[in-house]
Coordinates of all heavy atoms in Angstrom, one line a residue:
V10 N 0.8 -1.2 0.0 CA 0.0 0.0 0.0 C 0.9 1.2 0.0 O 1.9 1.3 0.7 CB -0.9 0.0 1.2 CG1 -1.7 1.3 1.3 CG2 -1.8 -1.2 1.2
L11 N 0.5 2.2 -0.8 CA 1.3 3.4 -0.9 C 0.3 4.6 -0.7 O -0.7 4.7 -1.4 CB 1.9 3.6 -2.3 CG 2.6 4.8 -2.7 CD1 3.9 5.0 -1.8 CD2 3.0 4.9 -4.1
N12 N 0.6 5.4 0.3 CA -0.2 6.6 0.6 C 0.7 7.8 0.2 O 1.7 8.1 0.8 CB -0.6 6.7 2.0 CG -1.4 7.9 2.4 OD1 -1.7 8.7 1.5 ND2 -1.7 8.1 3.6
I13 N 0.2 8.6 -0.9 CA 1.0 9.7 -1.3 C 0.6 11.0 -0.7 O 1.2 12.1 -1.0 CB 1.0 9.8 -2.9 CG1 -0.4 10.1 -3.4 CG2 1.6 8.5 -3.5 CD1 -0.4 10.4 -4.8
K14 N -0.4 11.0 0.1 CA -0.9 12.3 0.7 C 0.2 13.2 1.4 O 0.2 14.4 1.1 CB -2.1 12.0 1.6 CG -2.8 13.3 2.0 CD -4.1 13.1 2.8 CE -4.8 14.4 3.0 NZ -6.1 14.2 3.6
P15 N 1.1 12.6 2.1 CA 2.1 13.4 2.8 C 3.0 14.1 1.8 O 3.7 15.0 2.2 CB 2.9 12.4 3.7 CG 2.0 11.2 3.8 CD 1.1 11.2 2.6
Y16 N 3.0 13.7 0.6 CA 3.9 14.2 -0.4 C 3.2 15.1 -1.4 O 3.8 15.6 -2.4 CB 4.6 13.1 -1.2 CG 5.3 12.1 -0.3 CD1 4.6 10.8 0.0 CD2 6.4 12.4 0.4 CE1 5.2 10.0 0.9 CE2 7.0 11.5 1.2 CZ 6.4 10.3 1.5 OH 6.9 9.4 2.4
C17 N 2.0 15.4 -1.2 CA 1.2 16.2 -2.1 C 1.0 17.6 -1.4 O 0.8 17.7 -0.2 CB -0.2 15.6 -2.4 SG -0.1 14.1 -3.3
C18 N 0.9 18.6 -2.3 CA 0.7 20.0 -1.8 C -0.8 20.1 -1.4 O -1.7 19.6 -2.0 CB 1.0 20.9 -3.0 SG 0.6 22.7 -2.6
P19 N -1.0 20.7 -0.2 CA -2.4 20.8 0.3 C -3.3 21.6 -0.6 O -4.5 21.4 -0.6 CB -2.2 21.5 1.7 CG -0.8 21.7 1.9 CD 0.0 21.2 0.7
D20 N -2.7 22.5 -1.4 CA -3.5 23.3 -2.3 C -3.5 22.7 -3.7 O -3.8 23.3 -4.7 CB -2.9 24.7 -2.4 CG -2.9 25.4 -1.1 OD1 -3.8 25.1 -0.3 OD2 -2.0 26.2 -0.8
S21 N -3.2 21.4 -3.9 CA -3.1 20.8 -5.2 C -4.5 20.5 -5.9 O -4.5 20.1 -7.0 CB -2.4 19.4 -5.1 OG -3.1 18.5 -4.3
G22 N -5.6 20.8 -5.3 CA -6.9 20.6 -5.9 C -7.3 19.2 -5.9 O -6.5 18.3 -6.1
H23 N -8.5 18.9 -5.6 CA -9.0 17.6 -5.4 C -9.3 16.9 -6.7 O -9.5 15.7 -6.8 CB -10.3 17.6 -4.6 CG -10.1 18.1 -3.2 ND1 -9.5 17.3 -2.2 CD2 -10.3 19.3 -2.6 CE1 -9.4 18.0 -1.1 NE2 -9.9 19.2 -1.3
S24 N -9.3 17.6 -7.9 CA -9.6 16.9 -9.1 C -8.6 15.9 -9.5 O -8.9 14.9 -10.2 CB -9.8 18.0 -10.2 OG -8.6 18.7 -10.4
V25 N -7.3 16.1 -9.1 CA -6.2 15.2 -9.5 C -6.3 13.9 -8.6 O -6.0 12.9 -9.1 CB -4.9 15.9 -9.2 CG1 -3.7 14.9 -9.4 CG2 -4.7 17.1 -10.0
H26 N -6.8 14.0 -7.4 CA -6.9 12.9 -6.5 C -8.3 12.5 -6.2 O -8.6 12.3 -5.0 CB -6.1 13.2 -5.3 CG -4.7 13.5 -5.5 ND1 -3.8 12.5 -5.9 CD2 -4.0 14.6 -5.5 CE1 -2.6 13.1 -6.1 NE2 -2.7 14.4 -5.9
R27 N -9.2 12.5 -7.2 CA -10.6 12.2 -6.9 C -10.8 10.8 -6.2 O -11.7 10.6 -5.4 CB -11.4 12.1 -8.2 CG -11.9 13.5 -8.6 CD -12.6 13.4 -9.9 NE -11.9 14.2 -10.8 CZ -12.1 14.2 -12.1 NH1 -13.0 13.4 -12.7 NH2 -11.3 14.9 -12.9
G28 N -10.0 9.9 -6.6 CA -10.1 8.5 -6.0 C -9.3 8.4 -4.6 O -9.4 7.3 -4.1
G29 N -8.7 9.4 -4.2 CA -8.0 9.3 -2.9 C -6.5 9.3 -3.2 O -6.0 9.4 -4.3
Y30 N -5.8 9.2 -2.1 CA -4.3 9.2 -2.2 C -3.7 7.8 -1.9 O -2.5 7.8 -1.8 CB -3.8 10.2 -1.1 CG -4.2 11.6 -1.3 CD1 -5.4 12.1 -0.8 CD2 -3.4 12.5 -2.1 CE1 -5.8 13.4 -1.0 CE2 -3.8 13.8 -2.3 CZ -5.0 14.3 -1.8 OH -5.3 15.6 -2.0
T31 N -4.5 6.8 -1.9 CA -4.0 5.5 -1.6 C -3.9 4.6 -2.8 O -4.9 4.6 -3.6 CB -4.9 4.8 -0.5 OG1 -5.0 5.7 0.6 CG2 -4.3 3.5 0.0
Y32 N -2.8 3.9 -2.9 CA -2.5 3.1 -4.1 C -2.1 1.7 -3.6 O -1.4 1.5 -2.6 CB -1.4 3.7 -5.0 CG -1.8 5.0 -5.6 CD1 -1.8 6.2 -4.9 CD2 -2.2 5.0 -7.0 CE1 -2.2 7.4 -5.5 CE2 -2.5 6.2 -7.6 CZ -2.6 7.4 -6.9 OH -2.9 8.6 -7.5
D33 N -2.5 0.7 -4.4 CA -2.1 -0.7 -4.2 C -1.1 -1.2 -5.2 O -1.3 -0.8 -6.4 CB -3.3 -1.6 -4.2 CG -4.3 -1.3 -3.0 OD1 -3.8 -1.4 -1.9 OD2 -5.5 -1.1 -3.3
L34 N -0.1 -1.9 -4.8 CA 0.8 -2.5 -5.8 C 0.1 -3.5 -6.7 O -0.6 -4.3 -6.2 CB 1.9 -3.2 -5.0 CG 3.1 -3.7 -5.8 CD1 3.8 -2.6 -6.5 CD2 4.0 -4.5 -5.0
S35 N 0.2 -3.3 -8.0 CA -0.5 -4.2 -8.9 C 0.4 -5.0 -9.8 O 0.0 -6.0 -10.4 CB -1.5 -3.4 -9.8 OG -0.9 -2.3 -10.4
A36 N 1.7 -4.5 -10.0 CA 2.6 -5.3 -10.8 C 4.1 -4.9 -10.4 O 4.3 -3.8 -10.0 CB 2.4 -5.0 -12.3
V37 N 5.0 -5.8 -10.6 CA 6.4 -5.6 -10.4 C 7.1 -6.2 -11.5 O 7.0 -7.4 -11.9 CB 6.8 -6.3 -9.0 CG1 8.3 -6.1 -8.8 CG2 6.1 -5.8 -7.9
V38 N 8.0 -5.4 -12.2 CA 8.8 -5.9 -13.3 C 10.2 -6.1 -12.8 O 10.8 -5.3 -12.1 CB 8.8 -4.8 -14.5 CG1 9.7 -5.3 -15.6 CG2 7.4 -4.7 -15.0
M39 N 10.8 -7.2 -13.2 CA 12.2 -7.5 -12.9 C 13.0 -7.6 -14.2 O 12.5 -8.0 -15.2 CB 12.4 -8.8 -12.2 CG 12.0 -8.8 -10.7 SD 10.3 -9.0 -10.5 CE 9.9 -10.3 -11.5
H40 N 14.3 -7.1 -14.1 CA 15.2 -7.3 -15.2 C 16.3 -8.3 -14.8 O 16.8 -8.2 -13.7 CB 15.9 -6.0 -15.6 CG 16.9 -6.1 -16.6 ND1 18.2 -6.2 -16.4 CD2 16.8 -6.1 -18.0 CE1 18.9 -6.3 -17.6 NE2 18.0 -6.3 -18.5
H41 N 16.4 -9.4 -15.6 CA 17.4 -10.4 -15.4 C 18.5 -10.2 -16.4 O 18.2 -10.3 -17.6 CB 16.8 -11.8 -15.5 CG 15.5 -11.9 -14.7 ND1 15.5 -12.3 -13.3 CD2 14.2 -11.7 -15.0 CE1 14.3 -12.3 -12.9 NE2 13.5 -12.0 -13.9
G42 N 19.8 -10.1 -16.0 CA 20.8 -9.9 -16.9 C 21.9 -8.9 -16.4 O 21.7 -8.3 -15.4
K43 N 23.0 -8.8 -17.1 CA 24.1 -8.0 -16.7 C 23.9 -6.5 -17.0 O 24.5 -5.6 -16.3 CB 25.4 -8.5 -17.2 CG 25.7 -9.9 -16.7 CD 27.1 -10.3 -17.1 CE 27.4 -11.7 -16.5 NZ 28.7 -12.2 -16.9
G44 N 23.2 -6.2 -18.1 CA 23.1 -4.8 -18.5 C 21.8 -4.5 -19.0 O 21.0 -5.4 -19.3
F45 N 21.5 -3.2 -19.3 CA 20.2 -2.8 -19.8 C 20.1 -3.0 -21.3 O 19.0 -3.0 -21.9 CB 19.9 -1.4 -19.4 CG 19.7 -1.2 -17.9 CD1 20.7 -0.5 -17.2 CD2 18.7 -1.8 -17.3 CE1 20.5 -0.4 -15.8 CE2 18.5 -1.7 -15.9 CZ 19.5 -0.9 -15.2
G46 N 21.2 -3.2 -22.0 CA 21.2 -3.5 -23.4 C 20.8 -4.9 -23.8 O 20.5 -5.2 -24.9
S47 N 20.8 -5.8 -22.8 CA 20.5 -7.2 -23.0 C 19.9 -7.7 -21.7 O 19.9 -7.1 -20.7 CB 21.7 -8.0 -23.4 OG 22.6 -8.0 -22.3
G48 N 19.4 -8.9 -21.8 CA 18.8 -9.5 -20.6 C 17.3 -10.0 -20.9 O 16.9 -10.1 -22.1
H49 N 16.6 -10.2 -19.8 CA 15.3 -10.7 -19.9 C 14.4 -10.1 -18.8 O 14.9 -9.8 -17.7 CB 15.4 -12.3 -19.6 CG 14.1 -13.0 -19.7 ND1 13.3 -13.1 -20.8 CD2 13.4 -13.6 -18.7 CE1 12.3 -13.8 -20.5 NE2 12.3 -14.1 -19.3
Y50 N 13.2 -9.8 -19.2 CA 12.2 -9.2 -18.2 C 11.1 -10.2 -17.9 O 10.6 -10.9 -18.7 CB 11.6 -8.0 -18.8 CG 12.5 -6.8 -19.1 CD1 13.2 -6.7 -20.3 CD2 12.8 -5.9 -18.1 CE1 14.1 -5.7 -20.6 CE2 13.7 -4.9 -18.3 CZ 14.3 -4.8 -19.6 OH 15.2 -3.7 -19.8
T51 N 10.8 -10.2 -16.6 CA 9.6 -11.0 -16.1 C 8.8 -10.1 -15.2 O 9.3 -9.0 -14.8 CB 10.0 -12.2 -15.3 OG1 10.8 -11.8 -14.1 CG2 10.9 -13.2 -16.2
A52 N 7.6 -10.5 -14.9 CA 6.7 -9.6 -14.1 C 5.9 -10.4 -13.1 O 5.5 -11.6 -13.4 CB 5.8 -8.8 -15.0
Y53 N 5.6 -9.9 -12.0 CA 4.6 -10.3 -11.1 C 3.4 -9.4 -11.2 O 3.5 -8.2 -11.2 CB 5.1 -10.3 -9.6 CG 6.2 -11.3 -9.3 CD1 7.5 -10.9 -9.3 CD2 5.9 -12.6 -8.9 CE1 8.5 -11.8 -9.0 CE2 6.9 -13.5 -8.6 CZ 8.2 -13.1 -8.6 OH 9.2 -14.0 -8.4
C54 N 2.2 -10.0 -11.4 CA 1.0 -9.2 -11.6 C 0.0 -9.7 -10.6 O -0.2 -10.9 -10.4 CB 0.5 -9.4 -13.0 SG 1.7 -8.9 -14.3
Y55 N -0.7 -8.7 -10.0 CA -1.8 -9.1 -9.1 C -3.1 -9.2 -9.9 O -3.5 -8.3 -10.6 CB -1.9 -8.0 -8.0 CG -2.8 -8.4 -6.9 CD1 -2.4 -9.4 -6.0 CD2 -4.1 -7.8 -6.7 CE1 -3.2 -9.8 -5.0 CE2 -4.9 -8.2 -5.7 CZ -4.4 -9.2 -4.8 OH -5.2 -9.6 -3.8
N56 N -3.7 -10.4 -9.8 CA -4.9 -10.7 -10.5 C -6.1 -10.6 -9.6 O -6.2 -11.3 -8.6 CB -4.8 -12.1 -11.1 CG -6.0 -12.5 -11.9 OD1 -6.9 -11.7 -12.1 ND2 -6.0 -13.7 -12.4
T57 N -7.1 -9.8 -10.0 CA -8.3 -9.6 -9.2 C -9.5 -10.1 -10.0 O -10.6 -10.0 -9.6 CB -8.6 -8.2 -8.8 OG1 -8.6 -7.3 -9.9 CG2 -7.5 -7.7 -7.8
E58 N -9.2 -10.5 -11.3 CA -10.3 -10.9 -12.2 C -10.7 -12.4 -12.0 O -9.9 -13.2 -11.5 CB -9.9 -10.7 -13.6 CG -9.5 -9.3 -14.0 CD -10.7 -8.3 -13.9 OE1 -11.8 -8.7 -14.3 OE2 -10.5 -7.2 -13.4
G59 N -11.9 -12.7 -12.4 CA -12.3 -14.1 -12.4 C -13.1 -14.5 -11.2 O -13.9 -15.4 -11.3
G60 N -12.8 -14.0 -10.1 CA -13.6 -14.3 -8.9 C -13.2 -15.6 -8.2 O -13.6 -15.8 -7.1
E61 N -12.6 -16.5 -8.9 CA -12.3 -17.8 -8.3 C -10.8 -18.0 -8.1 O -10.0 -17.5 -8.9 CB -12.7 -19.0 -9.2 CG -14.2 -19.1 -9.4 CD -14.6 -20.3 -10.2 OE1 -13.8 -21.2 -10.3 OE2 -15.7 -20.3 -10.7
R62 N -10.5 -18.5 -6.9 CA -9.1 -18.8 -6.7 C -8.6 -19.9 -7.5 O -9.3 -20.9 -7.8 CB -8.9 -19.2 -5.2 CG -9.3 -18.1 -4.3 CD -9.1 -18.5 -2.8 NE -9.5 -17.4 -2.0 CZ -9.5 -17.4 -0.7 NH1 -9.1 -18.5 -0.1 NH2 -9.8 -16.4 0.0
P63 N -7.3 -19.9 -8.0 CA -6.8 -21.0 -8.8 C -6.8 -22.3 -8.0 O -6.5 -22.3 -6.8 CB -5.4 -20.6 -9.1 CG -5.2 -19.2 -8.5 CD -6.4 -18.9 -7.8
H64 N -7.0 -23.4 -8.6 CA -7.1 -24.7 -7.9 C -5.8 -25.1 -7.2 O -5.8 -25.7 -6.2 CB -7.5 -25.8 -8.9 CG -6.6 -26.1 -9.9 ND1 -6.4 -25.4 -11.1 CD2 -5.7 -27.1 -10.0 CE1 -5.5 -25.9 -11.8 NE2 -5.0 -27.0 -11.2
R65 N -4.6 -24.6 -7.7 CA -3.3 -24.9 -7.2 C -3.0 -24.1 -6.0 O -2.1 -24.4 -5.2 CB -2.2 -24.7 -8.2 CG -2.3 -25.6 -9.4 CD -1.2 -25.3 -10.3 NE -0.3 -24.3 -9.9 CZ 0.7 -23.8 -10.6 NH1 0.9 -24.2 -11.8 NH2 1.5 -22.8 -10.2
A66 N -3.7 -23.0 -5.8 CA -3.4 -22.0 -4.8 C -4.3 -22.1 -3.6 O -5.1 -21.3 -3.3 CB -3.5 -20.6 -5.4
S67 N -4.0 -23.0 -2.7 CA -4.8 -23.1 -1.5 C -4.2 -22.4 -0.3 O -4.9 -21.9 0.5 CB -5.0 -24.6 -1.2 OG -3.8 -25.3 -1.0
P68 N -2.8 -22.2 -0.2 CA -2.3 -21.5 1.0 C -2.8 -20.1 1.0 O -2.8 -19.4 0.0 CB -0.8 -21.6 0.8 CG -0.6 -22.7 -0.1 CD -1.7 -22.8 -1.0
R69 N -3.1 -19.6 2.2 CA -3.6 -18.2 2.4 C -2.6 -17.2 1.9 O -2.9 -16.1 1.5 CB -3.9 -18.0 3.8 CG -4.5 -16.7 4.2 CD -6.0 -16.8 3.9 NE -6.6 -15.6 4.3 CZ -7.6 -15.0 3.6 NH1 -8.1 -15.5 2.6 NH2 -8.1 -13.9 4.1
S70 N -1.3 -17.5 2.0 CA -0.2 -16.6 1.7 C -0.2 -16.2 0.2 O 0.6 -15.3 -0.2 CB 1.1 -17.1 2.1 OG 1.5 -18.3 1.4
L71 N -0.9 -16.9 -0.6 CA -0.9 -16.6 -2.1 C -1.8 -15.4 -2.4 O -1.8 -14.9 -3.5 CB -1.4 -17.8 -2.9 CG -0.6 -19.0 -2.8 CD1 -1.2 -20.1 -3.6 CD2 0.8 -18.8 -3.3
F72 N -2.6 -15.0 -1.4 CA -3.6 -13.9 -1.7 C -3.2 -12.6 -0.9 O -2.4 -12.6 0.0 CB -5.0 -14.4 -1.3 CG -5.3 -15.7 -2.0 CD1 -5.1 -16.9 -1.3 CD2 -5.7 -15.7 -3.3 CE1 -5.4 -18.1 -2.0 CE2 -6.0 -16.8 -4.0 CZ -5.8 -18.0 -3.3
C73 N -3.8 -11.6 -1.4 CA -3.6 -10.3 -0.7 C -3.9 -10.3 0.7 O -5.0 -10.7 1.1 CB -4.5 -9.2 -1.4 SG -4.4 -7.6 -0.7
P74 N -3.0 -9.9 1.6 CA -3.2 -10.0 3.1 C -4.3 -9.0 3.5 O -4.8 -9.2 4.6 CB -1.9 -9.7 3.7 CG -1.2 -9.0 2.6 CD -1.7 -9.5 1.3
V75 N -4.6 -8.0 2.7 CA -5.5 -7.0 3.1 C -6.9 -7.3 2.7 O -7.9 -7.4 3.5 CB -5.1 -5.6 2.5 CG1 -6.2 -4.5 2.9 CG2 -3.7 -5.2 3.1
C76 N -7.1 -7.6 1.4 CA -8.5 -7.8 0.9 C -8.8 -9.2 0.5 O -10.0 -9.5 0.4 CB -8.7 -6.9 -0.3 SG -7.6 -7.3 -1.7
S77 N -7.8 -10.1 0.3 CA -8.0 -11.5 0.0 C -8.9 -11.7 -1.2 O -9.6 -12.7 -1.2 CB -8.6 -12.2 1.3 OG -7.7 -12.1 2.3
S78 N -8.9 -10.8 -2.1 CA -9.8 -10.9 -3.3 C -9.0 -11.2 -4.6 O -9.6 -11.3 -5.6 CB -10.6 -9.6 -3.5 OG -9.7 -8.6 -3.8
G79 N -7.7 -11.5 -4.5 CA -7.0 -11.8 -5.7 C -5.7 -12.6 -5.3 O -5.6 -13.1 -4.2
F80 N -4.9 -12.7 -6.3 CA -3.7 -13.5 -6.1 C -2.6 -13.0 -7.1 O -2.8 -12.4 -8.1 CB -3.9 -15.0 -6.3 CG -4.6 -15.3 -7.7 CD1 -3.8 -15.7 -8.8 CD2 -6.0 -15.3 -7.8 CE1 -4.4 -15.9 -10.0 CE2 -6.6 -15.5 -9.0 CZ -5.8 -15.9 -10.1
W81 N -1.3 -13.3 -6.7 CA -0.2 -12.9 -7.5 C 0.2 -14.0 -8.5 O 0.1 -15.2 -8.2 CB 1.0 -12.6 -6.6 CG 0.9 -11.3 -5.9 CD1 0.4 -11.1 -4.6 CD2 1.2 -10.0 -6.4 NE1 0.4 -9.8 -4.3 CE2 0.9 -9.1 -5.4 CE3 1.7 -9.6 -7.6 CZ2 1.1 -7.7 -5.5 CZ3 2.0 -8.2 -7.8 CH2 1.6 -7.3 -6.7
V82 N 0.6 -13.6 -9.7 CA 1.0 -14.5 -10.8 C 2.4 -14.0 -11.3 O 2.6 -12.8 -11.5 CB 0.0 -14.5 -11.9 CG1 0.4 -15.4 -13.1 CG2 -1.4 -14.8 -11.4
H83 N 3.3 -15.0 -11.4 CA 4.6 -14.6 -12.0 C 4.5 -14.9 -13.5 O 4.2 -16.1 -13.9 CB 5.7 -15.5 -11.4 CG 7.1 -15.1 -11.9 ND1 8.0 -16.0 -12.3 CD2 7.6 -13.9 -12.1 CE1 9.1 -15.4 -12.7 NE2 8.9 -14.1 -12.6
C84 N 4.8 -13.9 -14.3 CA 4.6 -14.1 -15.8 C 6.0 -14.1 -16.5 O 6.8 -13.2 -16.2 CB 3.9 -12.9 -16.4 SG 2.2 -12.7 -15.6
N85 N 6.3 -15.1 -17.2 CA 7.5 -15.3 -17.9 C 7.1 -15.5 -19.4 O 6.0 -15.5 -19.8 CB 8.2 -16.6 -17.4 CG 9.7 -16.5 -17.6 OD1 10.2 -15.8 -18.5 ND2 10.4 -17.2 -16.7
D86 N 8.1 -15.6 -20.3 CA 7.8 -15.8 -21.7 C 6.9 -16.9 -22.0 O 5.9 -16.8 -22.8 CB 9.1 -16.0 -22.5 CG 9.9 -14.7 -22.6 OD1 9.3 -13.6 -22.4 OD2 11.1 -14.8 -23.0
S87 N 7.1 -18.0 -21.4 CA 6.3 -19.2 -21.8 C 5.4 -19.8 -20.8 O 4.6 -20.7 -21.1 CB 7.3 -20.4 -22.2 OG 8.1 -20.7 -21.1
E88 N 5.3 -19.2 -19.6 CA 4.4 -19.7 -18.6 C 4.0 -18.6 -17.6 O 4.6 -17.6 -17.4 CB 5.1 -20.9 -17.8 CG 6.2 -20.4 -17.0 CD 6.8 -21.6 -16.2 OE1 6.4 -22.8 -16.4 OE2 7.7 -21.4 -15.4
M89 N 2.9 -18.9 -16.9 CA 2.4 -18.1 -15.8 C 2.2 -19.0 -14.7 O 1.7 -20.1 -14.8 CB 1.1 -17.4 -16.2 CG 1.3 -16.3 -17.3 SD -0.2 -15.7 -17.9 CE -1.1 -15.2 -16.5
K90 N 2.6 -18.6 -13.5 CA 2.4 -19.5 -12.3 C 2.0 -18.7 -11.1 O 2.5 -17.6 -10.9 CB 3.6 -20.4 -12.0 CG 4.8 -19.6 -11.5 CD 5.9 -20.5 -11.0 CE 7.0 -19.6 -10.4 NZ 7.6 -20.1 -9.2
V91 N 1.1 -19.2 -10.4 CA 0.6 -18.5 -9.1 C 1.8 -18.6 -8.1 O 2.5 -19.5 -8.0 CB -0.6 -19.3 -8.5 CG1 -1.0 -18.7 -7.2 CG2 -1.7 -19.2 -9.5
C92 N 2.0 -17.4 -7.4 CA 3.1 -17.4 -6.5 C 2.6 -16.6 -5.2 O 1.5 -16.1 -5.2 CB 4.3 -16.6 -7.1 SG 3.9 -14.9 -7.6
S93 N 3.4 -16.7 -4.2 CA 3.1 -16.1 -2.9 C 3.4 -14.6 -2.9 O 4.3 -14.1 -3.6 CB 3.8 -16.8 -1.8 OG 5.2 -16.5 -1.8
V94 N 2.8 -13.9 -2.0 CA 3.1 -12.5 -1.8 C 4.5 -12.3 -1.3 O 5.2 -11.4 -1.5 CB 2.0 -11.8 -0.9 CG1 2.0 -12.3 0.5 CG2 2.1 -10.3 -1.0
E95 N 4.9 -13.3 -0.5 CA 6.3 -13.3 0.0 C 7.3 -13.3 -1.1 O 8.4 -12.6 -1.1 CB 6.6 -14.4 1.0 CG 5.8 -14.3 2.3 CD 4.4 -14.8 2.3 OE1 4.0 -15.4 1.3 OE2 3.6 -14.5 3.2
E96 N 7.0 -14.1 -2.1 CA 8.0 -14.2 -3.3 C 8.0 -12.8 -4.0 O 9.1 -12.4 -4.4 CB 7.4 -15.2 -4.3 CG 8.4 -15.5 -5.5 CD 7.9 -16.5 -6.4 OE1 7.1 -17.4 -6.0 OE2 8.2 -16.5 -7.6
V97 N 6.9 -12.1 -4.1 CA 6.8 -10.8 -4.7 C 7.6 -9.8 -3.9 O 8.4 -9.1 -4.4 CB 5.4 -10.3 -4.9 CG1 5.3 -8.9 -5.5 CG2 4.6 -11.3 -5.8
C98 N 7.5 -9.9 -2.6 CA 8.1 -8.9 -1.7 C 9.6 -9.1 -1.7 O 10.4 -8.2 -1.3 CB 7.5 -9.0 -0.3 SG 5.9 -8.4 -0.2
N99 N 10.1 -10.3 -2.0 CA 11.5 -10.6 -1.9 C 12.3 -10.5 -3.2 O 13.5 -10.7 -3.3 CB 11.7 -12.1 -1.3 CG 11.4 -12.1 0.1 OD1 11.6 -11.2 0.9 ND2 10.8 -13.3 0.5
T100 N 11.6 -10.0 -4.2 CA 12.3 -9.8 -5.5 C 13.0 -8.5 -5.6 O 12.7 -7.6 -4.8 CB 11.2 -9.9 -6.6 OG1 11.9 -10.0 -7.9 CG2 10.3 -8.7 -6.7
Q101 N 13.9 -8.4 -6.5 CA 14.6 -7.1 -6.8 C 13.9 -6.4 -7.9 O 14.1 -6.8 -9.1 CB 16.1 -7.4 -7.1 CG 16.9 -7.9 -5.9 CD 18.4 -7.9 -6.2 OE1 18.8 -7.7 -7.3 NE2 19.1 -8.1 -5.2
A102 N 13.1 -5.5 -7.6 CA 12.2 -4.8 -8.5 C 13.0 -3.9 -9.4 O 13.9 -3.2 -9.0 CB 11.1 -4.1 -7.8
Y103 N 12.5 -3.8 -10.7 CA 13.1 -2.8 -11.6 C 12.0 -1.7 -11.8 O 12.4 -0.5 -11.8 CB 13.4 -3.5 -12.9 CG 13.8 -2.6 -14.0 CD1 15.0 -1.8 -13.9 CD2 13.1 -2.5 -15.2 CE1 15.4 -1.0 -14.9 CE2 13.6 -1.7 -16.3 CZ 14.7 -0.9 -16.1 OH 15.1 -0.1 -17.1
I104 N 10.8 -2.0 -11.9 CA 9.7 -1.1 -12.1 C 8.5 -1.6 -11.2 O 8.2 -2.7 -11.2 CB 9.2 -0.9 -13.6 CG1 10.4 -0.5 -14.5 CG2 8.0 0.0 -13.6 CD1 10.0 -0.6 -16.0
L105 N 7.9 -0.6 -10.5 CA 6.7 -0.9 -9.7 C 5.5 -0.2 -10.4 O 5.6 0.9 -10.8 CB 6.8 -0.5 -8.3 CG 8.0 -1.0 -7.5 CD1 8.1 -0.3 -6.1 CD2 7.9 -2.5 -7.3
F106 N 4.3 -0.9 -10.4 CA 3.1 -0.3 -10.9 C 2.1 -0.3 -9.8 O 1.9 -1.3 -9.1 CB 2.5 -1.1 -12.1 CG 3.4 -1.0 -13.4 CD1 4.4 -1.9 -13.6 CD2 3.1 -0.1 -14.3 CE1 5.2 -1.8 -14.7 CE2 3.8 0.1 -15.5 CZ 4.9 -0.8 -15.7
Y107 N 1.4 0.8 -9.6 CA 0.4 1.0 -8.6 C -0.9 1.3 -9.2 O -1.0 2.0 -10.3 CB 0.8 2.1 -7.6 CG 1.9 1.7 -6.7 CD1 3.3 1.8 -7.1 CD2 1.7 1.1 -5.4 CE1 4.3 1.5 -6.2 CE2 2.7 0.7 -4.6 CZ 4.0 0.9 -5.0 OH 5.0 0.5 -4.2
T108 N -2.0 0.9 -8.6 CA -3.4 1.2 -9.0 C -4.1 2.0 -7.9 O -4.0 1.6 -6.7 CB -4.2 -0.1 -9.3 OG1 -3.5 -0.9 -10.2 CG2 -5.6 0.2 -9.8
Q109 N -4.7 3.1 -8.3 CA -5.4 4.0 -7.3 C -6.6 3.3 -6.8 O -7.4 2.7 -7.5 CB -5.7 5.3 -8.0 CG -6.2 6.3 -7.0 CD -6.5 7.7 -7.7 OE1 -6.9 7.7 -8.8 NE2 -6.3 8.7 -6.9
R110 N -6.7 3.3 -5.5 CA -7.9 2.7 -4.8 C -9.1 3.6 -5.1 O -9.0 4.9 -5.2 CB -7.8 2.7 -3.3 CG -7.0 1.5 -2.9 CD -7.1 1.3 -1.4 NE -6.2 0.2 -1.0 CZ -5.9 0.0 0.3 NH1 -6.4 0.7 1.3 NH2 -5.1 -1.0 0.6
S111 N -10.3 3.0 -5.2 CA -11.5 3.8 -5.4 C -11.9 4.5 -4.1 O -11.7 3.9 -3.0 CB -12.7 2.9 -5.8 OG -12.3 2.2 -7.0
A112 N -12.5 5.6 -4.2 CA -12.8 6.4 -3.0 C -14.1 5.8 -2.4 O -14.9 5.2 -3.0 CB -13.1 7.9 -3.4

């Protein structure tokens, strides 16, 4: 969870932050390799679609500890696999993507 309110100007106008100042982590991109000119990218993505938990994912740690309405998936070139939130938190992130929470 990311709260940006302490970093925003109090006079910034509410139109920019209609949905609030709280964001949830929705994806993490990793770069594997020695340099930026070459290598491989993979991503962890938080899935909230579908409404059903994957059949392989029974441990509670695979789901969001706050809302328990989704699960993390590691995406590679040829496969996608359900993973734990601990795996996502222990990765060396290259880019983080956040989604604004609804007000």
Side-chain angles (χ1 to χ4, degrees):
V10 176
L11 174 65
N12 180 1
I13 65 168
K14 190 170 185 174
Y16 308 102
C17 294
C18 177
D20 300 328
S21 63
H23 296 285
S24 62
V25 177
H26 301 287
R27 274 181 243 169
Y30 296 89
T31 305
Y32 292 77
D33 293 306
L34 185 64
S35 55
V37 179
V38 175
M39 282 84 47
H40 178 263
H41 309 274
K43 294 185 179 184
F45 295 110
S47 65
H49 179 67
Y50 294 91
T51 63
Y53 290 97
C54 301
Y55 191 69
N56 182 1
T57 58
E58 300 296 321
E61 291 186 20
R62 297 178 178 181
H64 67 281
R65 296 180 359 186
S67 57
R69 185 82 174 144
S70 64
L71 296 177
F72 305 99
C73 174
V75 176
C76 62
S77 299
S78 65
F80 53 93
W81 285 96
V82 179
H83 185 227
C84 305
N85 206 335
D86 285 344
S87 60
E88 68 178 5
M89 293 171 49
K90 68 173 185 138
V91 174
C92 60
S93 69
V94 68
E95 289 83 10
E96 183 178 336
V97 177
C98 291
N99 289 325
T100 191
Q101 291 189 350
Y103 176 60
I104 302 172
L105 302 174
F106 289 87
Y107 288 88
T108 304
Q109 188 178 33
R110 280 191 187 170
S111 300

